[in-house]
Structure formats: C-alpha cells, structure tokens
Amino acid sequence: MENRVRVRFAPSPTGPLHIGGVRTALYNYLFAKQNNGDFLLRIEDTDQTRFVPGAEEYIIEAFKWLGLNFDEGVGIGGDYGPYKQSERKPMYKQYALDLVAKGKAYYAFDTAEELAQKRLEAESQKTTFQYDCKTRQSLRNSLSLPQDEVQRLLDNGEAYVIRFKFDEGQTIEFDDLIRGHIKMESSLLDDKVLYKSDGMPTYHLANIVDDHLMHISHVIRGEEWLPSCPLHVSLYRAFGWEDTMPKFAHLPLLLKPDGKGKLSKRDGDRLGFPVFPLQWQDPKSGEISSGYRESGYLPEAVVNMLALLGWNDGTEQEIFSLEELVNKFSIERISKHGAKFDLEKAKWFNHQYLQKVSNSDLAKVYLDELNTKNIATTIDKVEQVVGLIKERCSFSNELWAQSDYFFVAPTTYAEKALKKRWKEGMGAIMTTISEHLKAIEDNDWAQKAEDFLMQYIQSNELNMGQIMNCLRLAVVGDTKGPNMLDIMRVLGKDEILLRLDTAIKNINL
RNA sequence: GCCCCGUUCGUCUAGUUGGCCUAGGACGCGAGAUUUUCAUUCUCGAAAUCAGGGGUUCAAAUCCCCUACGGGGUACCA
C-alpha cells in the first residue's frame, strides 16, 4: 500500500459534471492505470445547501458512458469507505479537535453575518477583510477571548467554527508535478474554516483527512486549487502526516472558446457545443443543457479530444485509443496554461472515430432513429445507406440529413440546380431514358442501367454532367449525395422509375 | 487591491538538458486535383520577428530580471 498509486476524482454533486471535470478525471484515470494503481470516486457533498438531486447518479452514468471505470468508491465500494463525505460526517470532528489541542486551530464564534459586515466595510474602504494573524485578535475566538469565556460559550452550545491557525512569518513551500516549486508567505494566508457550524467539515479539512485515510498517493486536480494548496500542505504538517502526503499536480483550466474566463455552463449552448458529457435537465428550473452523448459524439472521441486538450505525447500522433493513452500519458507533458475549447477540432475528432464504426453497428443506431420517424425499412438497406454516406458525416445524428432521400422521395427540387441543369428539352430526354430503364430486366438491373446510361449518353453525344445531374435532381431532389449509380442500386428499379416519373411531371420547363 | 499560475500561427500544440528553428504538426482557412453533383480524400499555400523590453552567452523561443496581458484564488462553495 505504501507505494501503490491511488488517485481519486472527487466531484461535488451540485449539478451535471463539467467537461473540465471530465478531463481531470481522465488524467487521474490514465495515471492510475499506467501505474497499475487505483482510481477512486469520492463524492464531496459537505455543502448540504448545494446538493442537487440526481447529480450523483449523473456522474456515475457519465463515466460509464465514457468507459472510464472506477476501481473503488461510490457505487462500487471498497476497503476505505464510505466514499461519500456526508456519510463520513462523524469522523471529521475529532480531527478538527485534534488540531485545536495541538494549537494549530482554534474556535471562532463570529457569525457569518458579522463577517459579511466586516467584508462590506473593508470593501467600502477599498481593502479586503481577511480572517488572519493580523485580525484574529480583534475577533471573537478562542485566541482572543479569555479561556473561561470560551468554555462558557462552548458549554452554552454557542455556534462555532474551527479555523486553521496560520503562524506568521513562515514560508510555505511545496512541489507541484506540473508547475515545479511553489512558495507562499503564511502571513498572506487567511485562517480558513475547517469545521463548519453545521457540524460538517469544509472541503479543506475533509479532503486532507480522506486522502490520508484512503491512502491517496497523488492529488491531480484543477488549477483553481493551487491557491489553497499551501493550506493543505500545512494541514498535512499539522496532523503529522507529512511523510505520507500525496504529491500534487494542478491542471490548467479549460477556457471559453471566445471571450475570457473558464469554460462555464452557459458557454455551451451559447456557442453550440456541449459542456457536459450527458444531457442534463435541471430539477428546479427544468432547463436543459446539452450533452456530448445526445449530440452524437462517440465516447472514444470525447476521451481522445479531451486528452489532447493540454497534453500530447511529443510526437505528431493525435488519434489515441484509451489503451494507448494509458501507455503514453505522462504528467510531465501536461501543459501549464489553460486551453480554449475548439469546436471544429472536436468535430474532426468525432469524424475520425465515426469512420471507424462498422457499417452494421452504425446501421443499428440509425435504424432506431428511422423507426422513431416511422420509416419502414430493413436493416440491410440501412447498412448499405450507411456505407455510402458515413464518410460525409461527423456525427451519427447527421445521418438523416445526408440520406433522407433514400427513405423519402423528394417533393421539391433544388431551384438553382434546376435552372442550371434542367434545360429546354430535358423532360423529353428524361422520358426516353425512363422508358429505356423500364425496359431493362429486373435481374441485375442497376448494373445494366449503368451500362445503358453510359452508352446512351455517348451515342447521343449528350453531356454526361447534364444528364447525371438531372437524374440526381429527379431522384434526390438536390445536388447532394454519393455516386448516382450507387443510389440507383440501393433504391432499385421501381423506386427510381417512380421518382423519374414524378419529376418529369412536376418539373415543367 | 493582494496572492498564485501562465504567455510560440485564429485555435490545440512541438520545441524539455540554450546551437540541427530560415520555429514543426493538427484543426480551421485559401487554392488546385480527383469525383457526372455535394461531401470525403489528396496536393499545395497563407498563417507565430516565439507578448514587449532589458540582461547573461560566441549563440536564447529555450536561462535571469522588469513591464504588459491572460487565467485562477481571495466564502461557515467545492
């Protein structure tokens, strides 16, 4: 256990899982698997006021979809449970008290309102109020109050919090696996609350106690935690756990594609790409946020794209399977600066992966979609269609737009193309062609139809583009689609003749 | 305000120990080719004086300092 790599992903269940969080989890996963270590899921629900029903289930489902499996934790179990901090509530107090006994922490009786008032006052004077070594003597706590008064308050059941006591004039130093050596002056740090008046620990206390108890070897988390890392390191030291303190790696953030700041919930639907792995409906407002899964992304593509947003293996390779990522990942090669999400690149990644999906697998997915549209067809036909149009799609949900004409005959014809191609006399030519096509025997019709067309165009000295495009217009209704002869093969004689007929009747020029 | 972290093509980035960088790749963009259409694909191209300024050195994108800009933090939120 001493040297075993154990990492954790520790989200709080306050809503859907942000894609930046997914990347953090991915990096943890890759690091754990590469080192034959453990990847745990711990739910950090110490703020009961922010609890959102369904969020925990969402998180578990999201990782299931992504194919990133936890070895231990909520939903799985393990030897170091419970893995949900609310269920660990009773064990935190003794640790906070231990720190008080050691003189590393103290009781504070100031109410949230009093402190808010202080902050307001400070703000009006363009300064900032901070609960620290300079101000704590003038506040209501066990450092400033006489001991018997403190005892009296505690005995009376007065509400209190426990705060960490930063000693003045110390330099706190630690190493970050991505950023190197980091220093901070203790006198600039505030006495953070470790234990709240509701009997719950804050993130700071809980994450140190749990990481210690769960034998976490590496803490890989977002950059937003870097400023509080000196506190965390100080806590390990105060507890006397420094020799087993995990190593830290603070990841750069995912930024908005356009403006400034980190990628947020609203950016996604504003800019037309998902910020969450799965679609999420807010239980209170009912507001829906789109997800990668529902937008037609393949989980492998999302994983690959996310892995490359802030990491690369130093070569020019960009497509990596999960297994390759596990083998090649390294914390040292993670970049230090934030990365803007690039929708176009994400599309490209998905296109790459969509091409790898077999026609039969893709056909199954597409058939389901067709069924919801009440389109009667066969898996055979769908598979043929998918084979023809797959490469023109980046997402599985583009299949319909690229192949609707295979299932529904056109009712309108692209006007511009008509003007350009369907010249005077074309109706007559098409009628002749139609008659000939009709005369061709059913057996191997498509091939014979092709032979006929080629020969017909040549012997009548017609323009190939002109004829084929008009045929396409008549059958497809537009200038899109794969090879015309492939379309004829899939649609078959009867359908082609029917569509030609309709077109000749409706297009009157 | 204060603290911490960062800064190479529009975007993601290569460049790790200074010289092979007239800075490479990918996405996107432009042009051409292929395709009877559209898309795909292929080829070519434009695109970063390495944020700016000072040093150090024979030599700096690479080391040091300053400035600017960006990001994060500054809650009884995580």
Side-chain angles (χ1 to χ4, degrees):
Chain A
M1 182 55 71
E2 281 313 299
N3 297 315
R4 187 172 177 81
V5 166
R6 285 169 62 79
V7 298
R8 83 301 199 272
F9 179 60
S12 54
T14 54
L17 186 59
H18 188 278
I19 201 71
V22 174
R23 191 191 58 167
T24 300
L26 172 63
Y27 285 0
N28 272 280
Y29 173 89
L30 297 177
F31 184 71
K33 294 297 115 183
Q34 178 172 80
N35 294 288
N36 295 311
D38 304 318
F39 176 49
L40 358 190
L41 173 64
R42 185 171 71 215
I43 298 287
E44 310 226 324
D45 55 350
T46 52
D47 186 354
Q48 291 160 321
T49 64
R50 295 210 307 160
F51 176 78
V52 174
E56 188 184 314
E57 293 74 12
Y58 176 99
I59 289 164
I60 291 169
E61 196 190 339
F63 285 108
K64 209 174 267 176
W65 178 68
L66 287 159
L68 304 178
N69 300 318
F70 292 101
D71 300 297
E72 207 176 304
V74 174
I76 296 120
D79 298 336
Y80 301 91
Y83 293 91
K84 205 188 290 188
Q85 289 181 330
S86 59
E87 291 171 10
R88 301 170 69 82
K89 183 177 177 180
M91 67 173 69
Y92 296 110
K93 189 174 185 180
Q94 54 169 309
Y95 288 100
L97 257 25
D98 176 42
L99 254 24
V100 174
K102 285 176 172 164
K104 304 284 189 184
Y106 58 91
Y107 295 104
F109 301 96
D110 322 84
T111 65
E113 294 72 37
E114 285 166 1
L115 296 176
Q117 184 58 35
K118 292 260 184 206
R119 288 198 183 90
L120 230 57
E121 283 167 21
E123 204 176 317
S124 67
Q125 289 165 45
K126 299 211 164 166
T127 59
T128 318
F129 167 76
Q130 189 166 282
Y131 211 117
D132 60 17
C133 54
K134 293 177 195 68
T135 59
R136 63 186 167 225
Q137 279 309 319
S138 63
L139 293 149
R140 302 204 321 132
N141 55 59
S142 60
L143 261 24
S144 63
L145 266 24
Q147 211 176 326
D148 53 344
E149 168 73 356
V150 170
Q151 199 52 53
R152 194 187 60 79
L153 289 168
L154 289 175
D155 290 344
N156 285 355
E158 199 85 12
Y160 67 86
V161 299
I162 294 175
R163 285 179 181 273
F164 187 74
K165 178 174 174 260
F166 265 115
D167 291 323
E168 208 170 345
Q170 304 217 311
T171 306
I172 299 158
E173 304 185 40
F174 63 96
D175 289 300
D176 183 277
L177 262 19
I178 296 173
R179 288 152 211 286
H181 198 70
I182 290 166
K183 288 183 188 179
M184 196 109 68
E185 291 305 316
S186 65
S187 45
L188 266 10
L189 269 9
D190 63 329
D191 292 346
K192 278 271 178 306
V193 170
L194 301 176
Y195 189 78
K196 300 187 269 191
S197 57
D198 66 357
M200 272 291 201
T202 58
Y203 168 84
H204 303 294
L205 208 221
N207 106 85
I208 269 66
V209 169
D210 289 349
D211 283 347
H212 174 72
L213 261 24
M214 294 178 185
H215 298 277
I216 297 302
S217 63
H218 299 260
V219 170
I220 304 169
R221 80 236 284 197
E223 192 184 7
E224 68 267 30
W225 296 111
L226 198 50
S228 51
C229 201
L231 197 224
H232 302 156
V233 170
S234 300
L235 277 165
Y236 279 104
R237 288 176 184 155
F239 279 122
W241 299 338
E242 195 177 354
D243 51 336
T244 58
M245 182 170 79
K247 291 193 163 59
F248 294 98
H250 289 94
L251 267 25
L253 266 20
L254 253 35
L255 274 18
K256 291 179 198 291
D258 56 349
K260 301 164 177 185
K262 61 176 170 180
L263 191 59
S264 73
K265 187 181 166 193
R266 292 203 180 129
D267 298 323
D269 293 315
R270 179 172 63 87
L271 269 16
F273 67 90
V275 170
F276 305 109
L278 275 34
Q279 189 179 88
W280 166 263
Q281 178 163 26
D282 188 273
K284 271 194 191 132
S285 66
E287 183 193 356
I288 290 174
S289 305
S290 64
Y292 280 87
R293 184 177 62 183
E294 291 74 11
S295 301
Y297 282 84
L298 266 2
E300 297 83 357
V302 174
V303 163
N304 195 153
M305 166 198 81
L306 246 27
L308 271 283
L309 223 46
W311 174 86
N312 70 83
D313 77 337
T315 73
E316 284 168 8
Q317 183 177 352
E318 294 199 279
I319 301 296
F320 296 91
S321 67
L322 224 209
E323 198 187 342
E324 281 180 294
L325 289 172
V326 166
N327 290 328
K328 297 184 174 178
F329 181 74
S330 68
I331 291 182
E332 301 74 53
R333 292 198 59 86
I334 296 175
S335 52
K336 297 177 173 70
H337 54 269
K340 285 180 186 164
F341 182 90
D342 185 350
L343 175 60
E344 292 303 327
K345 191 85 188 233
K347 270 187 194 166
W348 177 82
F349 269 112
N350 210 65
H351 183 264
Q352 298 297 311
Y353 277 86
L354 189 68
Q355 305 318 308
K356 296 185 185 201
V357 180
S358 72
N359 291 345
S360 65
D361 284 349
L362 202 53
K364 282 176 205 151
V365 175
Y366 191 24
L367 184 62
D368 287 343
E369 187 187 337
L370 291 170
N371 285 338
T372 67
K373 292 183 191 295
N374 284 321
I375 285 165
T377 183
T378 63
I379 186 74
D380 268 6
K381 180 179 174 184
V382 176
E383 198 170 323
Q384 284 183 62
V385 169
V386 161
L388 289 177
I389 58 147
K390 185 167 73 172
E391 64 183 17
R392 359 171 53 93
C393 300
S394 291
F395 300 98
S396 56
N397 60 14
E398 290 170 1
L399 254 21
W400 173 249
Q402 291 293 343
S403 66
D404 52 353
Y405 54 89
F406 278 107
F407 306 101
V408 180
T411 52
T412 59
Y413 303 91
E415 230 173 281
K416 251 178 107 179
L418 226 45
K419 219 166 241 173
K420 187 178 168 196
R421 305 279 188 188
W422 201 284
K423 296 279 160 65
E424 188 86 40
M426 186 52 77
I429 296 173
M430 283 295 144
T431 307
T432 312
I433 288 177
S434 176
E435 279 162 5
H436 278 97
L437 289 176
K438 191 174 182 180
I440 293 171
E441 59 169 333
D442 294 2
N443 186 27
D444 202 16
W445 178 80
Q447 184 56 53
K448 286 169 186 153
E450 174 177 353
D451 294 343
F452 158 73
L453 277 167
M454 292 308 155
Q455 175 263 318
Y456 181 82
I457 289 167
Q458 217 169 24
S459 59
N460 289 287
E461 292 182 341
L462 293 167
N463 182 316
M464 166 105 93
Q466 199 81 2
I467 300 300
M468 294 307 259
N469 279 307
C470 286
L471 217 47
R472 177 182 299 278
L473 272 167
V475 172
V476 175
D478 206 343
T479 60
K480 66 181 181 180
N483 189 298
M484 195 51 220
L485 300 162
D486 287 328
I487 296 176
M488 286 168 65
R489 196 159 281 127
V490 173
L491 287 179
K493 182 176 177 179
D494 294 347
E495 182 66 20
I496 294 292
L497 291 176
L498 191 67
R499 290 190 186 188
L500 271 177
D501 227 39
T502 312
I504 293 163
K505 272 182 206 139
N506 291 333
I507 303 169
N508 269 321
L509 287 174

